[in-house]
Amino acid sequence: MRDSNDDTRHGVSRADAESAVRTLLRWAGEDPEREGLLDTPRRVAEAYGEWFGGYAIDPDAYLARTFEEVEGYDEMIVLRDIEYESHCEHHMAPIIGRVHVGYLPAGRVVGISKLARVVEAYAKRFQVQEKMTAQIAGCIERALAPLGVGVVVEGAHECMTTRGVHKRGVSMVTSRMLGSFRDDARTRAEFLRFVESGAPRR
């Protein structure tokens, strides 16, 4: 059985990570030795391993296997409403939202689950939404060399709702258009229609 204390990641031991959590608890005014907090450092370290597992993943590897036997299919492919959970790199607060991706194939396509995995790989890192949007689009462009790529990301930022201005019900929308999605207004409009048609009605 593996000793959790031997869990060293990125040059930091599990013991050091748990010690850092105890320090933060003391700084916040708590006693990390009281009964309710004794296991908190371990739980936080385990949660960090899950929340930030994207650093151990190469998103490009997910799209390494592509398919060319598509009977000449050359119309737009869109996968919308990919839910994600990330964390803001400025305050380490959650970002929760959805991603919509689309591309215009140039002879090669990829399994749709792999697109969702690419989103997850980038989301499970400390992020800035604008950067994550560009990273997802760039990964698809590198792997498939399509005629165009479009990515739209929606996110609710807890760093804005639970601190600072305390504004709830606000979402941020970012987009990245490459190739024909940027150069051709009709292609871009078609993609955005696909995305909007999946939006929940209020």
Side-chain angles (χ1 to χ4, degrees), residues 105-121:
R108 290 189 292 164
V109 300
V110 69
I112 58 173
S113 68
K114 300 302 188 291
L115 295 173
R117 290 187 182 278
V118 166
V119 170
E120 186 172 77

Side-chain angles (χ1 to χ4, degrees), residues 11-190:
V12 179
S13 71
R14 175 67 171 266
D16 284 343
E18 293 184 9
S19 176
V21 176
R22 292 188 189 93
T23 298
L24 285 172
L25 287 171
R26 286 194 295 271
W27 185 84
E30 264 292 358
D31 175 12
E33 299 306 316
R34 73 174 176 83
E35 183 181 13
L37 294 175
L38 282 176
D39 283 339
T40 296
R42 174 186 60 79
R43 293 189 186 107
V44 171
E46 290 176 355
Y48 264 52
E50 180 178 345
W51 289 337
F52 305 109
Y55 288 111
I57 298 171
D58 176 11
D60 289 75
Y62 282 134
L63 304 186
R65 184 183 181 191
T66 59
F67 304 92
E68 297 181 4
E69 294 182 1
V70 292
E71 299 293 331
Y73 184 86
D74 60 359
E75 298 293 331
M76 191 178 297
I77 296 170
V78 177
L79 187 63
R80 66 189 184 204
D81 297 325
I82 306 168
E83 296 182 349
Y84 75 90
E85 300 167 1
S86 189
H87 285 77
C88 147
E89 68 179 39
H90 298 143
H91 299 97
M92 299 169 70
I95 308 170
I96 299 174
R98 300 181 301 168
V99 178
H100 316 282
V101 300
Y103 66 95
L104 199 56
R108 290 189 292 164
V109 300
V110 69
I112 58 173
S113 68
K114 300 302 188 291
L115 295 173
R117 290 187 182 278
V118 166
V119 170
E120 186 172 77
Y122 283 118
K124 287 185 177 296
R125 304 178 182 192
F126 286 110
Q127 277 293 5
V128 174
Q129 184 173 320
E130 297 91 334
K131 179 174 71 174
M132 187 176 81
T133 307
Q135 288 173 327
I136 295 168
C139 183
I140 297 170
E141 184 180 49
R142 286 192 303 274
L144 298 178
L147 299 176
V149 178
V151 175
V152 173
V153 179
E154 305 170 27
H157 293 242
E158 293 299 306
C159 60
M160 182 177 179
T161 62
T162 62
R163 58 162 299 283
V165 295
H166 291 275
K167 296 299 181 185
R168 296 192 173 274
V170 177
S171 63
M172 179 177 175
V173 180
T174 51
S175 67
R176 179 74 160 185
M177 305 292 171
L178 302 174
S180 61
F181 282 63
R182 175 183 288 271
D183 301 332
D184 188 330
R186 290 176 299 178
T187 300
R188 182 168 59 253
E190 180 182 1

Side-chain angles (χ1 to χ4, degrees), residues 1-8 13-15 18 42 46:
M1 182 175 178
R2 183 178 178 181
D3 184 350
S4 63
N5 291 325
D6 293 334
D7 184 9
T8 297
S13 71
R14 175 67 171 266
E18 293 184 9
R42 174 186 60 79
E46 290 176 355

